[in-house]
Amino acid sequence: MKKIALAAALLCSAGSTLAQEVINPSWYIAPTVVGIKPDHDFGVGDKDWGGGLKFGKPVTPLWDIQIGATEARADNNLTKYRQTVVGVDALLMLSRKQIRPFLLVGVGGERDRATRPGFKASGWSPYYTAGLGVQASLNDRWSVQLDGRAMKSNLNDDDKFGFSKALTKYVSFSLIYAFNPPPAPPAPAPVIEPTPVAEAPAPAPEPAPAPPPPPARFEKVTLSATELFAFDSATLSMPQPKLDDIAAALQADPSISDVDIVGYTDRLGSTKYNQKLSQRRADAVREYLVGKGIDAKRLQAHGKGETNPVVTDCKQKKRSELIECLAPNRRVEVEQITVERRVQ
C-alpha cells in the first residue's frame, strides 16, 4: 500500500504533463461484483464474494470520483463473517482513451460482523484503501471496470474482536453506464481569408502629384490546432502545406518582418498548463518556419494561454452545456495559432 500511495503522489505532482483529453462529464452508475479475502484474524481464511453499487463522475481530465457501498461474506464450518463497506474513491486516470488504467485511493467506513459458537461481535470502523485498475469502453455510454485494492481499518470494537487492525483484500468487477452521451467534438476553427488590397485611384487628367501608396495593413491567418498537432502535443504533424504557404510568402517578400505567432487556449483546465502548452505550440510553428529558411529575427512566438476568448458569456452550470458553449475557445481540445504578417 505504501508503494501504491507513493506512485499516486508522484503522478499527482506530474499531473500537468499528462494528456488532457476529451471526457464525458456525465454521472454514471456501476453495479459491482466483488471478491473478498478477509483478515485471517476474523477466523475465516477462505476467499468469498459479494456485490454492491457505485455512482461515479469524471471531475477533471485526470480524476474520477466514485461513491458506493458493497456487502461481502466469508464463511467456514464454524465462523460466519460479513463486511459492509460505504465509502468514496478517487481515481487518478492515466489515460482517457478506450483503455484507461488508473490508480485509486479512498476512505470510508466498514461494518464487520463475525459469529461462531459462543461468540458474536460487530461494529463500524474507519478505513483507508489504495489499489489500481483499468476501465475499457464498450461504446459511448457503456464501459467495464476491473480493480484490485487493499483496505486497512482500525477496529473501534477491538475489545470485541480481540485485535485492533484488519487488512482486507478486494477484487471488483463493475459494469458502467453513463447517464448522458459524451459531448460532440468541436468543429475546427474557421480559416480567415485575406482581404484583397484596393487598387490605387487613377491619376487626374491634369498634372498632379502621384497618389500616395495604400497604407500597410496586416493579414491574420488563423490555423486550427487539429491541422497542426496531435492531441496534447507540441510536435507538428506532417505534411504542413499551410505553413509551407506562409514560409513561401515570407521568402517572397523580405520586407515582411515582426511576424507574431500567438498560441491561445480557453479557460478550461489549469491556467499554468494552458499557458505552457500555448507557448510550446507557438514555438513549434516558429521553429518550422525557421527550418524553411526564414530568418529567426523576423519571427516572434508568444503563448497567451486563455486570454482573448472568442466567446465570453458561457455561464452554464451543467458541465456538458458549458463545454458545448465554450467550443470556439476550447484550446485543450482544439487550439488555434494566429500568424500576423505585414502586407503592402
Side-chain angles (χ1 to χ4, degrees):
M1 291 182 66
K2 291 182 179 179
K3 291 181 179 179
I4 293 173
L6 177 60
L10 292 174
L11 286 170
C12 287
S13 66
S16 62
T17 64
L18 296 178
Q20 296 190 20
E21 302 181 20
V22 179
I23 64 172
N24 182 358
S26 170
W27 279 94
Y28 56 80
I29 188 171
T32 302
V33 177
V34 300
I36 181 176
K37 188 178 188 307
D39 194 300
H40 62 83
D41 286 337
F42 285 114
V44 285
D46 294 336
K47 302 173 183 177
D48 219 312
W49 64 277
L53 187 66
K54 300 177 184 178
F55 292 89
K57 177 178 173 54
V59 292
T60 74
L62 289 174
W63 290 98
D64 273 23
I65 58 168
Q66 291 184 352
I67 304 168
T70 61
E71 174 81 11
R73 67 182 188 182
D75 299 337
N76 61 21
N77 293 333
L78 297 177
T79 303
K80 293 185 177 181
Y81 174 72
R82 302 288 184 272
Q83 186 179 80
T84 302
V85 174
V86 179
V88 57
D89 296 332
L91 279 59
L92 175 60
M93 309 303 295
L94 306 183
S95 173
R96 285 294 184 181
K97 298 180 181 179
Q98 183 177 10
I99 305 297
R100 303 181 293 279
F102 61 83
L103 301 178
L104 69 85
V105 292
V107 295
E110 68 175 66
R111 186 187 183 207
D112 301 290
R113 290 161 288 170
T115 60
R116 58 179 177 268
F119 175 82
K120 183 176 182 181
S122 66
W124 283 93
S125 306
Y127 75 82
Y128 59 92
T129 185
L132 51 84
V134 64
Q135 293 178 354
S137 295
L138 303 178
N139 55 42
D140 61 351
R141 299 179 76 169
W142 287 96
S143 302
V144 293
Q145 176 176 313
L146 178 66
D147 64 76
R149 68 182 69 198
M151 189 167 68
K152 190 77 171 180
S153 58
N154 297 316
L155 301 179
N156 289 333
D157 293 317
D158 55 342
D159 291 339
K160 295 181 180 180
F161 291 106
F163 58 100
S164 61
K165 298 183 181 295
L167 177 65
T168 308
K169 297 179 181 178
Y170 271 92
V171 174
S172 303
F173 178 81
S174 305
L175 183 63
I176 297 174
Y177 174 74
F179 293 120
N180 298 309
V191 177
I192 301 176
E193 298 294 339
T195 303
V197 180
E199 295 182 356
E206 297 181 359
R217 66 179 181 83
F218 286 91
E219 175 189 22
K220 182 181 292 184
V221 181
T222 302
L223 305 174
S224 169
T226 57
E227 298 175 324
L228 300 176
F229 305 97
F231 194 85
D232 193 50
S233 171
T235 302
L236 284 166
S237 304
M238 295 300 168
Q240 285 296 331
K242 293 188 177 180
L243 290 182
D244 291 341
D245 290 343
I246 293 174
L250 294 174
Q251 290 172 340
D253 189 352
S255 67
I256 301 175
S257 61
D258 297 326
V259 178
D260 288 328
I261 304 172
V262 185
Y264 292 105
T265 70
D266 68 11
R267 62 182 173 88
L268 294 181
S270 163
T271 300
K272 182 178 179 181
Y273 179 85
N274 289 340
Q275 175 63 35
K276 290 183 178 179
L277 181 59
S278 66
Q279 183 64 55
R280 287 191 293 122
R281 288 189 163 175
D283 289 339
V285 172
R286 180 179 183 271
E287 292 171 4
Y288 183 91
L289 296 177
V290 171
K292 290 295 181 178
I294 306 304
D295 187 349
K297 296 180 180 179
R298 300 170 64 189
L299 307 173
Q300 300 294 328
H302 309 280
K304 295 191 177 180
E306 54 197 52
T307 61
N308 301 329
V310 178
V311 292
T312 59
D313 58 349
C314 297
K315 301 178 181 179
Q316 290 81 354
K317 294 182 178 180
K318 190 174 181 181
R319 185 171 177 81
S320 59
E321 296 176 355
L322 178 61
I323 290 175
E324 182 178 358
C325 180
L326 290 173
N329 298 343
R330 192 175 305 149
R331 269 58 169 201
V332 171
E333 301 171 4
V334 178
E335 298 179 31
Q336 295 179 347
I337 300 296
T338 301
V339 179
E340 293 188 353
R341 61 187 178 91
R342 189 175 181 86
V343 178
Q344 297 298 330

